[in-house]
Amino acid sequence: MGRLTAVTGARQTRLAEGWRLSLTPASACATPAEAARLDDWIAATAPGTVAQALEAAGRWRRDTPLALNDKDAWYRLPLAEAGRRRLRFDGLATTAEVWLDESLVLTSGSMFQPAEAEVEIAPGATLWICFRALAPKLSAKGPRARWRPFMIEAQGLRLVRTALLGHMPGWRPAIDTVGPWRPIRLIEDGKARAEDLRLRADWDGAARLDVEVTLHGLTGDARLACAGASAALEALGDGRYRAHLSVSDARPWFPHTHGGQPLYPVRITAGATEIDLGRTGFRRVEVDRGDDGLGFGLRINGEPVFCRGAAWVAPDAVGLASDRAAYEPALRLMAEAGMNMVRLSGVGVYEGPAFFELCDELGIMVWQDFMFANFDYPATDPAFLDAVRLEAAAVLQAMQGAPSLTVLCGGSEVMQQASMMGLASDLAWPLFDEVLPGLARDFAPGVPYVPNTPWGGPLPFVADQGVTHYYGVGAYERPLEDARHATVRFASECLAFANVPQPETLAQSLAAPAVHDPRWRARVPRDRGVSWDFEDVRDHYLKRLYGHHPYELRRADPALYLDLSRMVSGQAMAAVFAEWRRARSPCAGGLVWLLKDVEAGAGWGLIDALGEPKPCWYALKRVLQPAQVLLTDEGVNGLAVHVLNEREEPLLAELRLAVFGADPGPLIDVRRPLEIPARSGLELSGFELIGRFFDLSHAYRFGPRAHEAVCAQLIGPEGELLSEAVHLMAPPQAGGGAVAIELLEAAGGWSLALTAERLQPYVHIADAAYRPADDGFVLLPGERKLVRLLGRQEAAGRPEGELLALGGCGLGGYGGG
């Protein structure tokens, strides 16, 4: 197969509906003529998977998935078109034969490499695809591996270009990905078309656009146009053209935490003919290794950016949906939470164009792994490397011009796996050090390339150099202070916990007692072969931070156990990010593992499988905003107050520091006006702010502790609360007591005004029609707190819900009528 090229200026027909699917034992049918005699066919779609079609037909269940890799899957579709066409498959999983009637037109052996064929379609023709059983491929022998990753069952996967999803017990359900998982199109080339595009949009204080492209069928002088500027295309020969364009009216693209996201259409024009090359944004990405040359951070358009967000592994485990509707809800929740980077992990799949379009619009940077993880890949096999080159070229070409593409990475935990297996540190890595970076330079010049993640120190996984996967707080059960002691420079993966969803999600999708019920246990992530799981990790911190023995608490008060479990993972994450975001921290970023669950339960996700944010998501939202106040415990130095302003303009605000006891009203209440320059921060001592000694952190212990909480607030010029940080002095206790609740309606929507008589360390708002903008928050005694209510649907009506304290105790209801 020749090199595939993206083409614009052609008529395209999606072959989405009307497919029929039949399963057979492996190799039962050799040709379409034999498959045509099968009598058991069900409806299917493309893009789609065999599991998705079987589920729709009532023949397959997610909780007890039927194995599919040992079967052949035949798809057929009568074609309505006739004539000469190009047949384009954006993704076939995995070993596939494509037939037009009885003629074999192409074969494919990679899930990730698009396939294409020129065909002559006769009237009434039928398109056939046979996905051959993958199991025989997985048992095939290849070059001897230097190590075997224990977390993956089928070691033959290192020889086959397919997703690891479904092959990692304890990580995801064992769902085999088979079928046309990406769109299928018939393409009729127009007279004028562009192909083999190279596009680079740069910002050096002004916008620069460089394009090189092959053009067919244009008459007259061709010009490149963008944002009101245009330049003539220079002919290079053989239909190849290039142009350089300075775009004076364009503005730079920034992640949403640091600026705007202007996007500009790019076109080629020649007389009345116009070819659309899509949209782009102008930005420059640079790596900042720090003063010692050992760190890793990013500068966007010269500005340092603290990267925070989460890792993404396709949350639709069955269909691997790639349309805008599949991506948008979770990505919007990322932006709302103040997250500005998403990492597409090498254990997943390449996402579709709609993913990057949304990230461009929302100002979310993308760290893109190539789909390699853990294995010793056959990087000296010429056929394997040729397939990788085609795969990577197609993937990179589809991403061209996306300003959100910020980092390219060779893969996940390959170098770490070799190092942890005791192999020498000077191994050669031709795939990650030669092949992939060469393609990155060709298709994505200006996008930093990282050979692997983790990477950068004397051992790949050390935290104080380069890029790490930080689980000191988390799986390694280190104290929260380890986030500072480890001197983390950039965590491209961190803080994995078994995060408990909201009670409403459990009631709807997992009505099983926590922890030991097999239905609950099956949805708790674990590494294969170890004696613990990530619920044990969460329980460790519940005991360390709150003093409860998890087993005893679970038996005595299961509701309190679940609420404290919801609270503790969020508290741990928030404490780590507060540490990493302070001005004196060497850390330049952290990406939580993982953004979204694939099934309801205590998974790694910050968002549950139903799309509902978990309490840990809210905890992170409170510490990840561009205008932010944070508190850190500095021992005998008291509490430090950190104020951050990542915005483009100076921040005029009032800083409030208040101390609360058991009774309503603050014991100490001090305020200071601040002007924080754009994209800067400062650190203040709590002692300095209150102007006298008060044992804010109870480090001196000269007598009984006099207070229950310390609160720092950042208040905007109009009196609006921009950010709040609360430091609790004691482990949280089960709630109760009176809370005054007001339901307020204004032009901007609905809000709750809440005032508690006593400290409420954890308050949950339960409302079927509205999601609170904050949840799992602290109510301070006598303090009025406003919480916006966000309609789950456009016409949500009047809110009606209730407040629940820690342990599920009711605090009162609102609305209705």
Side-chain angles (χ1 to χ4, degrees):
M1 184 188 303
R3 182 173 177 177
L4 294 167
T5 56
V7 179
T8 60
R11 186 178 71 84
Q12 302 187 21
T13 303
R14 276 208 176 195
L15 305 181
E17 303 295 333
W19 291 91
R20 306 291 290 177
L21 162 68
S22 186
L23 294 179
T24 74
S27 302
C29 297
T31 66
E34 296 178 22
R37 293 194 288 268
L38 298 172
D39 57 8
D40 186 15
W41 294 86
I42 62 172
T45 58
T49 64
V50 172
Q52 185 179 18
L54 291 173
E55 184 178 49
R59 300 187 182 188
W60 186 93
R61 292 173 55 91
R62 295 174 186 235
D63 53 356
T64 54
L66 174 73
L68 300 171
N69 281 336
D70 59 347
K71 301 171 179 62
D72 287 354
W74 282 89
Y75 280 72
R76 73 181 189 197
L77 176 71
L79 296 177
E81 295 190 23
R84 189 148 193 87
R85 301 286 189 275
R86 280 187 299 112
L87 188 56
R88 167 86 176 189
F89 301 88
D90 288 346
L92 299 170
T94 292
T95 302
E97 302 165 357
V98 178
W99 303 70
L100 191 59
D101 290 329
E102 287 298 303
S103 298
L104 180 66
V105 297
L106 67 82
T107 60
S108 175
S110 170
M111 175 178 175
F112 302 130
Q113 182 182 320
E116 191 174 287
E118 295 272 356
V119 295
E120 185 71 37
I121 303 173
T126 298
L127 179 63
W128 298 78
I129 313 172
C130 179
F131 295 93
R132 295 297 183 184
L134 188 62
K137 292 273 187 182
L138 299 183
S139 60
K141 300 295 183 181
R144 183 179 177 84
R146 292 169 289 182
W147 70 87
R148 294 166 63 93
F150 194 67
M151 62 184 282
I152 303 167
E153 285 185 310
Q155 297 298 307
L157 284 165
R158 73 188 185 97
L159 307 175
V160 182
R161 295 305 297 140
T162 195
L164 301 183
L165 306 178
H167 299 280
M168 297 181 291
W171 279 45
R172 285 171 71 97
I175 297 172
D176 295 334
T177 301
V178 181
W181 71 293
R182 287 293 185 256
I184 302 173
R185 292 169 287 164
L186 281 176
I187 302 171
E188 184 179 13
D189 290 329
K191 292 182 179 180
R193 68 183 190 274
E195 60 186 14
D196 199 12
L197 174 68
R198 300 290 189 281
L199 186 152
R200 182 183 183 185
D202 190 20
W203 179 268
D204 61 359
R208 315 284 184 192
L209 182 64
D210 289 287
V211 166
E212 187 172 318
V213 65
T214 298
L215 298 175
H216 301 276
L218 288 183
T219 58
D221 295 332
R223 298 186 67 82
L224 176 69
C226 180
S230 70
L233 284 160
E234 173 191 357
L236 303 176
D238 295 326
R240 196 76 177 157
Y241 292 83
R242 71 182 175 196
H244 172 79
L245 183 61
S246 296
V247 188
S248 58
D249 290 339
R251 295 179 293 111
W253 184 98
F254 278 98
H256 73 95
T257 50
H258 287 68
Q261 296 78 52
L263 298 170
Y264 301 96
V266 181
R267 302 180 305 278
I268 291 174
T269 61
T273 303
E274 183 175 290
I275 298 177
D276 180 9
L277 300 183
R279 296 182 307 176
T280 195
F282 296 94
R283 57 92 182 97
R284 176 168 290 186
V285 186
E286 298 166 292
V287 173
D288 184 350
R289 300 304 303 268
D291 293 340
D292 59 4
L294 301 177
F296 183 90
L298 295 179
R299 289 180 175 269
I300 307 297
N301 306 321
E303 300 291 343
V305 173
F306 182 85
C307 303
R308 67 274 196 172
W312 176 287
V313 177
D316 177 7
V318 176
L320 300 178
S322 60
D323 58 359
R324 192 177 179 96
Y327 297 137
E328 189 165 6
L331 291 175
R332 286 199 177 278
L333 286 173
M334 285 195 78
E336 181 185 334
M339 301 178 189
N340 60 17
M341 175 174 273
V342 60
R343 173 181 160 228
L344 301 182
S345 169
V347 303
V349 298
Y350 299 107
E351 297 298 346
F355 187 92
F356 287 88
E357 291 168 6
L358 280 161
C359 289
D360 292 346
E361 295 167 17
L362 296 172
I364 297 174
M365 299 176 289
V366 179
W367 173 304
Q368 173 71 68
D369 286 2
F370 290 98
M371 294 301 125
F372 299 94
N374 296 85
F375 280 120
D376 182 17
Y377 291 94
T380 58
D381 179 359
F384 180 84
L385 291 180
D386 285 346
V388 168
R389 289 187 181 97
L390 288 171
E391 170 190 319
V395 167
L396 290 169
Q397 193 161 56
M399 299 174 186
Q400 286 186 112
S404 57
L405 181 62
T406 309
V407 177
L408 288 167
C409 179
S412 176
E413 295 191 349
V414 176
M415 295 178 178
Q416 170 178 292
Q417 192 83 60
S419 182
M420 286 190 164
M421 293 292 186
L423 276 72
S425 60
D426 60 350
L427 291 178
W429 302 101
L431 176 60
F432 304 123
D433 290 339
E434 299 170 22
V435 175
L436 292 175
L439 288 161
R441 286 191 297 271
D442 186 12
F443 285 92
V447 176
Y449 174 83
V450 176
N452 220 252
T453 177
W455 163 85
L459 295 175
F461 44 83
V462 298
D464 62 354
Q465 296 184 35
V467 175
T468 190
H469 290 184
Y470 175 73
Y471 293 111
V473 176
Y476 305 146
E477 297 184 351
R478 302 285 296 164
L480 298 185
E481 294 79 13
D482 188 72
R484 181 177 296 189
H485 297 159
T487 322
V488 175
R489 309 302 287 267
F490 192 105
S492 54
E493 194 174 301
C494 62
L495 298 173
F497 291 91
N499 296 308
V500 179
Q502 301 283 25
E504 295 77 21
T505 294
L506 295 181
Q508 180 178 342
S509 301
L510 186 59
V515 180
H516 287 296
D517 186 288
R519 293 167 295 173
W520 178 283
R521 205 75 171 164
R523 301 183 183 189
V524 173
R526 65 186 59 79
D527 286 338
R528 181 172 176 242
V530 300
S531 61
W532 54 272
D533 62 25
F534 284 84
E535 195 143 53
D536 296 324
V537 173
R538 190 193 67 231
D539 280 350
H540 167 84
Y541 287 95
L542 191 151
K543 187 174 189 298
R544 177 189 284 270
L545 300 182
Y546 300 157
H548 289 287
H549 191 290
Y551 167 74
E552 294 175 357
L553 179 62
R554 201 161 54 235
R555 291 197 65 174
D557 194 338
L560 180 58
Y561 167 78
L562 284 175
D563 272 353
L564 287 175
S565 296
R566 292 181 177 102
M567 188 176 180
V568 73
S569 61
Q571 180 179 338
M573 293 180 191
V576 168
F577 274 96
E579 167 59 37
W580 288 348
R581 290 196 72 192
R582 64 188 181 91
R584 288 189 290 161
S585 170
C587 184
L591 307 177
V592 175
W593 184 269
L594 186 67
L595 181 65
K596 191 171 187 289
D597 288 338
V598 298
E599 54 186 349
W604 283 313
L606 303 174
I607 303 166
D608 70 32
L610 304 184
E612 185 74 11
K614 296 183 184 179
C616 56
W617 178 89
Y618 287 100
L620 284 171
K621 180 181 178 181
R622 291 191 285 269
V623 298
L624 296 184
Q625 298 305 310
Q628 184 74 55
V629 63
L630 302 164
L631 291 171
T632 57
D633 188 339
E634 304 297 328
V636 294
N637 293 322
L639 294 181
V641 183
H642 309 270
V643 184
L644 307 173
N645 176 29
E646 295 175 325
R647 296 171 170 176
E648 294 179 278
E649 60 280 337
L651 175 63
L652 298 175
E654 181 180 67
L655 176 63
R656 180 194 184 202
L657 187 67
V659 179
F660 292 86
D663 298 323
L667 304 174
I668 298 173
D669 194 345
V670 295
R671 298 169 186 256
R672 175 183 291 189
L674 296 176
E675 182 174 351
I676 310 297
R679 297 180 178 133
S680 67
L682 60 84
E683 178 179 333
L684 298 168
S685 163
F687 292 149
E688 175 191 355
L689 285 168
I690 63 177
R692 61 183 177 86
F693 175 72
F694 185 90
D695 197 358
L696 292 171
S697 58
H698 198 50
Y700 290 87
R701 300 178 184 271
F702 291 150
R705 179 170 44 81
H707 58 302
E708 301 293 330
V710 180
C711 174
Q713 293 179 334
L714 196 61
I715 302 167
E718 305 300 322
E720 71 277 19
L721 183 63
L722 301 175
S723 175
E724 179 179 76
V726 178
H727 180 79
L728 296 176
M729 302 306 302
Q733 302 299 316
V739 174
I741 306 172
E742 301 174 73
L743 179 61
L744 308 175
E745 183 181 13
W750 296 92
S751 297
L752 294 177
L754 310 174
T755 309
E757 288 185 353
R758 51 168 284 195
L759 178 71
Q760 297 291 344
Y762 181 91
V763 177
H764 170 53
I765 299 174
D767 191 318
Y770 287 82
R771 175 176 66 81
D774 194 9
D775 199 43
F777 49 81
V778 177
L779 278 183
L780 297 164
E783 289 285 299
R784 189 172 187 259
K785 181 178 179 67
L786 285 175
V787 181
R788 288 185 301 116
L789 299 176
L790 310 173
R792 299 181 189 277
Q793 299 177 352
E794 288 188 12
R798 181 178 173 83
E800 181 177 5
E802 64 175 329
L803 266 62
L804 300 173
L806 190 65
C809 176
L811 295 173
Y814 61 86

